[in-house]
Each structure stands twice: as C-alpha cells, then as structure tokens.
Amino acid sequence: MKQKKSESPPEAGPARRRLLDTATRLFSESGIHAVGIDRIIAEAGVAKATFYNHFPSKDHLVVAYLEEMDRLGRAAVAALPKQAPRKMISAIMERISEAVVAGGWRGCPFLNAAAEYPDPASPVRHAINARRVWYHDSLQSLLAEDGDPTPSVTASLLVALSDGLLESAYLDDAESVPALVGEAVARLLDRR
C-alpha cells in the first residue's frame, strides 16, 4: 500500500527500474492519465526507444506499476510475524495505518487506477482485480481459520472497510485512521 522504491525483479534492468520508479512517483502525485509518456521518459532519463523496448504502451507500464504495488503489498503481508488468525487480520489491517500516516498519501493506487480505467475488461482492471481477489481470499482464509460463520461475507466487509479507510485518509485526516482501523476491526470481528 505504501508506495516506495523497491528492489528490481531479476529480469529488470536499471532503465526499466527507473521508468517504474518514475511512473510510480508521477502517478501517485498527479494521477495516471494526467502524466504522459514523454514526461515519464524525460524524468527517468531514458530514450523513447528504451521505454518502448520495456513497455509497448502506457497501459503496459500502468499494469507493471500496479503489479509492482501488488507485489510490494503481498511481500509486506508475508513479512508479518505469524500469529493467531484474528491478530494476523488486525496486523494486515494495521498496514493501512502505516501507509497513510507515513506522509504524502494520495489515495490507494488500485482505487485511483480503477477510477481512471472504468472498463472492467481492460488489462489495468485485471491487474486491480487480481490484487483485490488475493486480498479478499487472504482475509477469508484467516477468518475461516478463526471460525467465522460467514468468512466470505466478513472478508468482503473488511475489503470494503479497507477501501473506505484508504480513501478517508486522503480526503479527511490520515492521523485518525489508526484509531479507526483498530475500532472497526474490533467491532466487525467481535460481532459474532
């Protein structure tokens, strides 16, 4: 969720890494459609041919950007200490707090991209949906392990809660999110 530089996958060279890092920064600051390829190329310091060698189109870059954000989020969850399911759910949800209070939060990259790519058949939306399915299924699995009678429904509620908190942090007060996360998760999980 937090957008930051990361280590490149083994197949990525330095030019591709610069393009992805530049795109990540610019997309976060200005939005995807507001940033043109020429600006990304100029700020990454690569030739136009280099860009097209790595990304046949801007949409390919956007998909790579979202896949990178997804990979970082999954890695952050995988790095959490293993604990009881309910505590693990809380720890996953607390990542929202960490992301939004770190500074410069401009909204969830997946929700922002979804707003700019309304066609559900687009490759960008497929990348967004892959992330959402993984997130929902991860929560559902933990909820089932915790004995939730309707783990799919509760997971859907947690995903919706996450979406709301991520956007509320941008639109309202990011500093209020940690308390909201804790309170919302407690109320939702203790409702049984």
Side-chain angles (χ1 to χ4, degrees):
M1 289 182 204
K2 183 178 176 185
Q3 298 171 1
K4 61 181 180 180
K5 279 189 167 183
S6 66
E7 293 182 21
S8 301
E11 71 279 6
R16 185 178 192 283
R17 179 79 262 149
R18 282 196 313 276
L19 285 163
L20 263 176
D21 289 345
T22 302
T24 297
R25 178 178 50 80
L26 293 174
F27 293 163
S28 176
E29 291 171 358
S30 303
I32 295 169
H33 288 318
V35 177
I37 290 173
D38 290 337
R39 181 174 176 197
I40 294 167
I41 290 168
E43 292 196 27
V46 301
K48 191 172 270 196
T50 302
F51 174 87
Y52 286 108
N53 183 47
H54 291 290
F55 306 103
S57 70
K58 183 177 176 185
D59 282 356
H60 285 86
L61 173 63
V62 173
V63 168
Y65 152 71
L66 292 171
E67 287 172 345
E68 170 99 344
M69 295 295 98
D70 183 27
R71 185 182 64 75
L72 291 170
R74 290 179 192 221
V77 168
L80 291 171
K82 298 300 176 217
Q83 47 199 313
R86 187 174 290 219
K87 288 188 183 236
M88 191 69 173
I89 292 166
S90 292
I92 291 169
M93 295 294 292
E94 286 167 7
R95 290 191 60 255
I96 293 170
S97 301
E98 295 167 12
V100 302
V101 298
W105 181 251
R106 300 277 307 207
C108 172
F110 302 99
L111 296 175
N112 291 347
E116 293 195 53
Y117 287 84
D119 180 2
S122 80
V124 171
R125 287 297 290 272
H126 287 288
I128 294 164
N129 290 342
R131 165 61 178 209
R132 294 179 69 75
V133 167
W134 167 81
Y135 186 49
H136 180 276
D137 290 353
S138 297
L139 293 170
Q140 181 177 326
S141 177
L142 289 165
L143 289 159
E145 188 179 338
D146 191 50
D148 189 292
T150 56
S152 181
V153 172
T154 306
S156 293
L157 290 169
L158 286 168
V159 170
L161 173 64
S162 298
D163 290 347
L165 289 167
L166 289 165
E167 293 312 306
S168 177
Y170 176 58
L171 296 171
D172 300 323
D173 177 21
E175 297 300 321
S176 69
V177 169
L180 288 173
V181 167
E183 183 67 23
V185 170
R187 286 184 185 203
L188 187 58
L189 296 184
D190 290 340
R191 68 177 170 68
R192 312 183 248 150

